[in-house]
Amino acid sequence: MHQQTLLATLAASLAALPFAQAGLYSKSSPVIQLDGKSYDRLIAQSNHTSIVEFYAPWCGHCKNLQPAYEKAAKNLQGLAKVAAIDCDDESNKPFCGSMGIQGFPTLKIVRPGKKAGRPVVEDYQGPRTASGIVDAVVSKINNHVAKLTDKEIDAFLETDGEKPKAILFTEKGTTSALLRSIAIDYLDVISVGQVRNKEKAAVEKFGISSFPSFVLIPGGGKEPITYDGELNKKDLLEFLKQVGSPNPDPAPAKAKSGKKAATSKAKEAKEAKESSSTTSSEASSAAAPEATLIEIPALKSKAELEEHCLHSKAQTCVIAFVPASTSEMRNKIISSVSQLHTKYVHGKRHFPFFSLDSDVEGSATLKEALGLDGKIELIALNARRGWWRRYEDGEFSVHSVESWIDTVRMGEGEKKKLPKGVVVEKPETTEEAKIETEAPAAESEHDEL
Ligand SMILES: *[C@@H]1O[C@H](CO)[C@@H](O)[C@H](O)[C@H]1NC(C)=O
């Protein structure tokens, strides 16, 4: 069966492409074609999120995926990168090996981590449809858009007074992929914010009468400019260019002049050196799990919070309360806890770690119940046994968080009693006495994280 597919594919590709170009995607395809080197430059170093398909041209599932993947690439144009690498090509094999590829196709979502060139890489295991892929990738586009309330708008405008700002006034509570991608293009060049229509003072301040409205504040005391074109990426970028150029996200190399090739070679060599632990050794995927950071899962609703951490049978949970908008501190704590999470996932026993954005329902209530007033807080909580502990250090380095986790593990340090009303009963939980005396259940249900 496989043999036959292989022969058929070979015959077809030889007929169609006499110059031994056996890849699945043609030159005009919207899918970016990678090799081990360009992966680093185009994907790992990018500020944008990407999805990368690792494939072999003879693989039937890869061929089946091709139309959906190209459709996803079209739909994600300007929002995220869609790329593919032929792992059957000899020169790509070491790279595919270093990424731990064991079957085809393998899809990985790659997005910028805290450090340039050290992206967060996750397997995509959702449906192999264009919409499945698009939804998953869109949900992984980093959010650098500040959500602004009436209270926060002045501080936002005053920070770095010379720096241009752009604000979208909208009826929506969520931040669109388009706005997130614009904030990424203009990282450190234009601060991008979003204001909801219910923020009356902010809306009035800018004289906004319809939603959505997009306003550019050039900085240096200049008058705000309201955008009146269509809300599409191309036109919005054109509008924003009057105050600054977007970051130079590397595009796939086209011109092949000797000079250019040499420059990019030197750059690649430098980049490869800087991020050597991500891609260099074939052994890295097996021996060094930290090479691929597994970000802690986010609790996205009150129901998820209760289900994982607050019902009366819940085991110890570690929860990072973080502000909904991106900040250095937010990135730091998520990165620290994710590094530990990654380490523990590869070990045997671990606590489940979660992040909880401040705008998720139930977050504020829980913080209030526990008397937590920091924008960023880290706690361990055991609803079943009725205790919780607070991480007090405030430093949030990996080392400091790890020592705290160790004290939690060892049962050291101050345990606080969970106040009434925090733990929710599961309807089926009627025999509380029995639960109390049960031996602690294995935490293995979380090992799949
Ligand atoms: C990524 O963003 C930074 C600003 O945070 C910028 O200096 C850099 O040029 C961007 N990189 C690319 C490849 O666009």
Side-chain angles (χ1 to χ4, degrees):
M1 171 72 189
H2 253 152
Q3 195 72 319
Q4 220 168 3
T5 325
L6 171 65
L7 288 176
T9 313
L10 266 180
S13 49
L14 285 177
L17 302 154
F19 300 111
Q21 253 205 345
L24 270 185
Y25 297 94
S26 75
K27 267 200 176 137
S28 57
S29 170
V31 173
I32 302 168
Q33 291 168 69
L34 297 175
D35 56 33
K37 280 182 189 158
S38 56
Y39 169 84
D40 193 60
R41 188 170 61 87
L42 299 176
I43 308 294
Q45 303 284 340
S46 176
N47 289 334
H48 286 277
T49 293
S50 306
I51 184 163
V52 180
E53 178 196 5
F54 297 82
Y55 74 92
W58 45 259
C59 130
H61 290 303
C62 304
K63 287 161 68 82
N64 292 341
L65 173 64
Q66 182 189 345
Y69 202 59
E70 294 195 311
K71 188 170 175 199
K74 276 202 194 101
N75 290 343
L76 286 168
Q77 231 150 37
L79 304 178
K81 299 184 182 188
V82 177
I85 179 162
D86 176 359
C87 292
D88 207 34
D89 185 323
E90 278 306 320
S91 60
N92 293 337
K93 281 185 180 168
F95 173 68
C96 294
S98 76
M99 294 297 284
I101 305 305
Q102 288 171 341
F104 304 121
T106 295
L107 293 161
K108 289 184 186 282
I109 296 180
V110 183
R111 77 193 133 128
K114 201 185 143 207
K115 273 175 82 178
R118 296 291 304 266
V120 180
V121 182
E122 288 170 288
D123 277 344
Y124 169 76
Q125 281 165 337
R128 291 189 185 149
T129 58
S131 64
I133 291 169
V134 168
D135 289 350
V137 173
V138 158
S139 77
K140 301 285 176 182
I141 298 176
N142 285 357
N143 193 350
H144 298 277
V145 178
K147 278 191 186 164
L148 302 166
T149 60
D150 278 345
K151 273 192 198 146
E152 292 156 338
I153 188 123
D154 286 336
F156 174 78
L157 293 170
E158 278 157 24
T159 310
D160 235 338
E162 294 296 313
K163 190 175 171 185
K165 322 250 172 357
I167 301 177
L168 179 72
F169 292 86
T170 171
E171 286 168 315
K172 293 192 183 138
T174 55
T175 306
S176 70
L178 175 60
L179 194 62
R180 279 182 281 153
S181 81
I182 287 175
I184 293 169
D185 285 316
Y186 275 100
L187 261 185
D188 284 0
V189 179
I190 299 177
S191 308
V192 180
Q194 169 168 336
V195 172
R196 227 172 155 176
N197 56 334
K198 63 177 190 198
E199 305 297 332
K200 295 273 183 303
V203 165
E204 197 166 308
K205 185 181 181 106
F206 284 91
I208 303 298
S209 52
S210 68
F211 301 90
S213 276
F214 190 64
V215 176
L216 176 61
I217 301 114
K222 295 202 194 83
E223 281 299 304
I225 310 162
T226 302
Y227 176 73
D228 59 8
E230 270 181 54
L231 288 174
N232 65 50
K233 176 103 186 213
K234 190 173 150 281
D235 293 345
L236 282 168
L237 285 188
E238 211 46 56
F239 172 70
L240 293 174
K241 273 181 192 155
Q242 61 185 307
V243 296
S245 310
N247 288 314
D249 198 64
K254 287 240 164 73
K256 286 264 157 63
S257 86
K259 194 180 162 199
K260 220 174 185 170
T263 335
S264 78
K265 261 225 170 96
K267 200 169 163 228
E268 270 160 16
K270 185 170 159 266
E271 287 167 354
K273 209 170 144 200
E274 279 165 3
S275 68
S276 57
S277 52
T278 332
T279 53
S280 67
S281 104
E282 281 191 45
S284 69
S285 63
E290 69 271 19
T292 302
L293 190 64
I294 306 171
E295 188 164 300
I296 52 171
L299 295 168
K300 296 209 183 71
S301 63
K302 192 166 174 224
E304 283 190 16
L305 171 63
E306 295 181 349
E307 186 200 333
H308 291 286
C309 302
L310 296 185
H311 71 83
S312 56
K313 284 184 178 178
Q315 300 276 345
T316 305
C317 252
V318 175
I319 304 176
F321 291 92
V322 291
S325 56
T326 314
S327 68
E328 207 177 302
M329 209 54 200
R330 181 186 203 275
N331 293 346
K332 184 164 180 185
I333 179 174
I334 294 210
S335 158
S336 291
V337 182
S338 295
Q339 285 179 50
L340 295 174
H341 174 61
T342 306
K343 186 167 159 185
Y344 296 150
V345 162
H346 289 273
K348 284 229 169 63
R349 279 177 66 96
H350 61 93
F351 302 128
F353 292 97
F354 297 103
S355 65
L356 182 58
D357 280 11
S358 56
D359 61 358
V360 171
E361 199 199 339
S363 165
T365 320
L366 179 56
K367 276 177 82 177
E368 201 181 329
L370 302 180
L372 296 170
D373 50 13
K375 274 200 168 158
I376 294 190
E377 294 277 359
L378 185 63
I379 64 162
L381 172 156
N382 189 314
R384 174 189 169 114
R385 300 188 186 282
W387 59 257
W388 71 285
R389 292 157 187 273
R390 183 182 189 186
Y391 168 81
E392 310 262 5
D393 190 324
E395 192 196 323
F396 294 112
S397 67
V398 181
H399 179 75
S400 149
V401 172
E402 181 160 37
S403 356
W404 176 73
I405 298 269
D406 281 342
T407 65
V408 175
R409 239 172 238 279
M410 310 292 282
E412 291 165 4
E414 191 203 353
K415 264 184 194 171
K416 297 174 185 169
K417 221 174 144 224
L418 280 177
K420 276 216 167 63
V422 167
V423 177
V424 297
E425 295 301 327
K426 279 208 156 173
E428 67 268 29
T429 310
T430 47
E431 303 168 80
E432 276 168 27
K434 200 172 151 202
I435 294 156
E436 250 326 286
T437 54
E438 247 174 41
E443 287 176 341
S444 61
E445 63 186 282
H446 297 287
D447 279 348
E448 71 234 23
L449 283 177

